Amino acid sequence: GDSVTQMEGPVTLSEEAFLTINCTYTATGYPSLFWYVQYPGEGLQLLLKATKADDKGSNKGFEATYRKETTSFHLEKGSVQVSDSAVYFCALLQYSGGGADGLTFGKGTHLIIQP
Amino acid sequence: EAGVVQSPRYKIIEKKQPVAFWCNPISGHNTLYWYLQNLGQGPELLIRYENEEAVDDSQLPKDRFSAERLKGVDSTLKIQPAELGDSAVYLCASSLDRPGPNTGELFFGEGSRLTVL
C-alpha cells in the first residue's frame, strides 16, 4: 500500500536557521503531495501542496518540490522563526475510481525553534 | 466561513463505557473523513463518506466502532465499548471533491481528544 516516510524529530533549530524536513513516499500512479502543519492546541492546516511532478508548492516562506525520480517532497525554509514551531506532516493523496481517496500521512516531525 | 466543527473537544471515560463524537463539515463539502491520531503518530483514516455513503471503511474496527452520516451532512462516530487503547485524538475532515485547483484538499476540525481510564 501507499506510505509516507519523514524524518523523525524533534528537530531543534535556532531562529533564522535553514530548515529541511525530508519526506519520501511509496505509491502507485501519480498522487498529489501535501505538507500539513499542526500548531500547539490547533487542528491540522494545509501548508502547501503539489499535484504533479516538478511542481513546487510554497506558502509562508516554505517550499517543497514534487520529485518523482526520487519520490520525495522535502520541506524547506530559508530562515525559520519561533512561530514556526509546530508538528509538520507530509501526506499523499491517491485518486481512484470517481474521486480522491483519503490522505496517507507520515508520522510527523516536531520542529522546535529557539530564539 | 465556518470551518469543520467537532464536539466534544475533550472526553474522559472509563473503559467499557460508550462514547460518541460529532462532526459538522464545511457547508457544501460532499466528502467527510474520520481519522484517528495516536500520540506521536500521523493521522490514520478510519472511514470516508461521499455524501451519505461510506465508500471506504476498511480501517474501521467494526466490532466496537460505528459511524453514520444519515443526511449526508453531519456525522457521528461511536465507540462501544471503549478500551484503554482507544485513547487518542479523533479528527474529522471534509473536502469538496469536484474538478478544480482545490480538488482533494482536506479541511480538518480541531479534533476530539479521548482519554479512556
Side-chain angles (χ1 to χ4, degrees):
Chain A
D2 299 339
S3 66
V4 176
T5 302
Q6 56 183 110
M7 61 192 294
E8 303 220 355
V11 173
T12 304
L13 296 173
S14 297
E15 204 166 19
E16 300 183 1
F18 183 86
L19 168 71
T20 299
I21 300 178
N22 290 337
C23 171
T24 58
Y25 67 91
T26 301
T28 58
Y30 303 92
S32 294
L33 301 175
F34 300 78
W35 277 100
Y36 276 80
V37 58
Q38 190 170 35
Y39 297 103
E42 299 184 15
L44 281 162
Q45 302 173 27
L46 178 65
L47 180 60
L48 54 84
K49 68 176 182 180
T51 58
K52 60 183 186 296
D54 299 326
D55 265 3
K56 177 185 285 187
S58 61
N59 186 26
K60 299 181 180 181
F62 290 89
E63 293 183 339
T65 301
Y66 189 161
R67 302 288 188 197
K68 190 162 178 63
E69 64 275 16
T70 55
T71 61
S72 65
F73 193 54
H74 304 322
L75 182 68
E76 297 182 336
K77 186 174 185 181
S79 176
V80 292
Q81 305 299 313
V82 172
S83 57
D84 294 327
S85 298
V87 181
Y88 292 81
F89 293 92
C90 185
L92 69 81
L93 185 70
Q94 278 285 25
Y95 297 85
S96 64
D101 298 338
L103 286 165
T104 299
F105 286 89
K107 291 187 176 182
T109 302
H110 187 191
L111 175 65
I112 301 169
I113 307 300
Q114 296 177 333
Chain B
E1 181 182 347
V4 177
V5 179
Q6 292 187 244
S7 68
R9 286 292 309 278
Y10 304 93
K11 188 73 176 179
I12 301 173
I13 61 172
E14 297 199 343
K15 63 181 181 182
K16 301 185 181 179
Q17 294 299 306
V19 64
F21 304 110
W22 175 81
C23 172
N24 192 27
I26 293 173
S27 178
H29 280 196
N30 57 308
T31 304
L32 183 146
Y33 311 77
W34 282 103
Y35 280 85
L36 164 70
Q37 186 176 18
N38 286 302
L39 186 65
Q41 302 293 315
E44 300 171 15
L45 181 67
L46 288 173
I47 189 168
R48 174 170 65 99
Y49 283 93
E50 289 181 8
N51 300 305
E52 65 275 8
E53 182 183 359
V55 296
D56 183 0
D57 63 355
S58 57
Q59 302 304 311
L60 189 71
K62 298 180 183 64
D63 56 336
R64 297 183 301 105
F65 286 66
S66 64
E68 60 184 16
R69 193 186 185 199
L70 294 176
K71 297 182 179 178
V73 181
D74 57 346
S75 175
T76 302
L77 177 70
K78 298 179 181 178
I79 308 173
Q80 183 170 11
E83 297 179 352
L84 294 176
D86 297 331
S87 296
V89 177
Y90 293 83
L91 297 170
C92 180
S94 69
S95 67
L96 182 62
D97 286 324
R98 297 174 187 167
N102 293 324
T103 295
E105 179 176 344
L106 274 65
F107 295 82
F108 285 83
E110 293 182 323
S112 295
R113 182 179 296 277
L114 173 65
T115 301
V116 182
L117 302 175

